[in-house]
Amino acid sequence: MIRVLLVDDQPLLRSGFRALLDLEDDIEVVAEAGDGAEGLALARHHVPDVALVDIRMPRVDGIETTRRIAADPALAGVHVVILTNYGMDAYVLDALRAGAAGFLVKDVVPEDFLHAVRVAARGDALLAPSITRRLIDRYVSQPALPAAGSALCLEELTSREREAVGLVARGLANDEIADRMVITPLTAKTHINRAMAKLRARDRAQLVVLAYESGLVAPGNAGS
């Protein structure tokens, strides 16, 4: 059973998400919170598998909530998925760097929303394709990131690692990458983790940016 915590300051949205989740036999909503401070307290009390956290909330926002969850050893098994109305903005990468497993826009279709919960519960990072495209539009034209850009050397990657990175850059989750590459999800995750280590990418979002900056994937092909 996947145990979920909902953290959003809009009761109507929480009710909608809960209604979707409650229909699933393998998902249980253990608690709801209207702000980050309450969400953090409930996370410590229930230790859910997945915390769906709004990025902008009163008192303690989603980024700080994510940071505190990620910093607490007792909550190491809690996977945070950021929810946002705003598509790509300056806060999304901050949330990923704070420790979020990924993010979704709130107008996501129900099937993709439920899939995201299950992907996050498995410990796989999740980047919604629509936000991946905005990520590239905003950041790929900027100068290379100092830590990873100077060390970028695609020749160090195996052909399978390059293929996996290309699929990550197109917004695919690990199980989808495994299907495309005809391998197991664990092998897909291994390819991605090795590529991140070789390219010195701090997180999956940075790996996406590096894939485009290096020319491994062309922005026009993001949705292919």
Side-chain angles (χ1 to χ4, degrees), residues 4 7 30 82 112 123 130 136 153 170 180 182 188 195 205 213 219:
V4 176
V7 186
V30 296
I82 292 292
D112 289 345
S130 62
I136 298 310
C153 183
R170 291 179 172 89
R180 291 281 191 95
V182 195
E213 288 182 329

Side-chain angles (χ1 to χ4, degrees), residues 62-76:
I63 296 172
E64 184 59 28
T65 301
T66 301
R67 185 177 293 113
R68 294 183 189 180
I69 288 175
D72 189 339
L75 301 179

